[in-house]
Amino acid sequence: MSIAISFTERAAGQVRALLNREGAAPASGLRVGVDTGGGCAGHRYRLTVESVPYDGDVVIRVEDLDVFVAASSVEQFDGMRIDYSESLMSSGFTFYNPHARSNCLCGPSFAPPVQPDGVETSLLQKANVAIQHIRPHLQLVGRDASVVGVADGVVSVRLTGIGLEREADVTELVKTVERQLKDAVPDVTRVVPASVGR
């Protein structure tokens, strides 16, 4: 059984630093798990350093890192991307999971998918999850974006924040959001502004 989990360069660097700090043995890896009933969105991701995988774990090699995932959690983590963000207010790992119903801006908290039967998540749901991963970076510069609708691969977004009086600035922000949404959700073909406010 194989799944895809990826790290941004920044997150991978933090994991390596964590393993070094813990004095991890050569067979050590990073366990990705979930605490149920925790976090402000219902569930909370948990990262721990483990010296060896548990029986029944799926072991994924990501660059030079081993990632341990319980076999029972494989489906909900497939396609997850882990980032690390720093700001004046907080720092820590953030998670983009295409299977989560929603993600909290706090970073590790999320709402699990409603349907456990393997039904593909709708494009609207995927776009909503992806935009939550993008928003903290926009908020650092006093801007924000939210999905208001999806039709035929085109995502409509509401844009708010400072410096959006000029059309050129709106266009630049739309292109930024579009690029990141397309990276996260390949089914997105275009992003258009539904409204712009302060």
Side-chain angles (χ1 to χ4, degrees):
M1 184 182 301
S2 65
I3 66 170
I5 292 179
S6 62
F7 294 86
T8 64
E9 195 173 310
R10 189 169 35 193
Q14 288 293 325
V15 173
R16 290 185 192 100
L18 180 63
L19 290 170
N20 289 336
R21 257 198 323 272
E22 298 281 330
S28 296
L30 183 74
R31 171 171 294 283
V32 179
V34 170
D35 287 328
T36 58
C40 40
H43 286 52
R44 188 176 182 86
Y45 294 111
R46 183 181 68 251
L47 300 178
T48 55
V49 173
E50 301 287 352
S51 56
V52 291
Y54 298 161
D55 286 342
D57 273 354
V58 174
V59 180
I60 307 122
R61 188 74 175 172
V62 184
E63 298 180 21
D64 58 337
L65 304 169
D66 281 332
V67 179
F68 307 151
V69 178
S72 59
S73 301
V74 163
E75 288 186 5
Q76 66 176 312
F77 289 145
D78 191 22
M80 185 163 76
R81 185 174 64 211
I82 302 174
D83 194 6
Y84 187 87
S85 61
E86 294 180 310
S87 71
L88 293 174
M89 299 295 290
S90 65
S91 62
F93 289 98
T94 56
F95 303 82
Y96 163 69
N97 186 343
H99 302 290
R101 183 162 26 109
S102 65
N103 290 298
C104 179
L105 291 178
C106 72
S109 184
F110 73 103
V114 177
Q115 66 278 33
D117 56 0
V119 175
E120 185 182 359
T121 308
S122 73
L123 183 55
L124 177 60
Q125 288 174 305
K126 290 179 182 178
N128 270 317
V129 169
I131 204 83
Q132 297 305 321
H133 185 73
I134 297 166
R135 290 181 66 202
H137 304 288
L138 298 179
Q139 290 166 350
L140 287 175
V141 293
R143 294 178 176 177
D144 205 350
S146 57
V147 174
V148 297
V150 174
D152 298 324
V154 178
V155 178
S156 302
V157 294
R158 171 168 169 70
L159 305 173
T160 56
I162 58 174
L164 295 177
E165 295 83 9
R166 296 186 316 140
E167 188 176 334
D169 294 322
V170 173
T171 301
E172 182 183 350
L173 180 56
V174 167
K175 286 182 178 177
T176 299
V177 172
E178 181 179 82
R179 183 172 60 252
Q180 295 186 49
L181 272 182
K182 282 181 172 180
D183 285 346
V185 186
D187 292 338
V188 171
T189 59
R190 195 158 56 98
V191 171
V192 296
S195 61
V196 179
R198 293 188 179 183

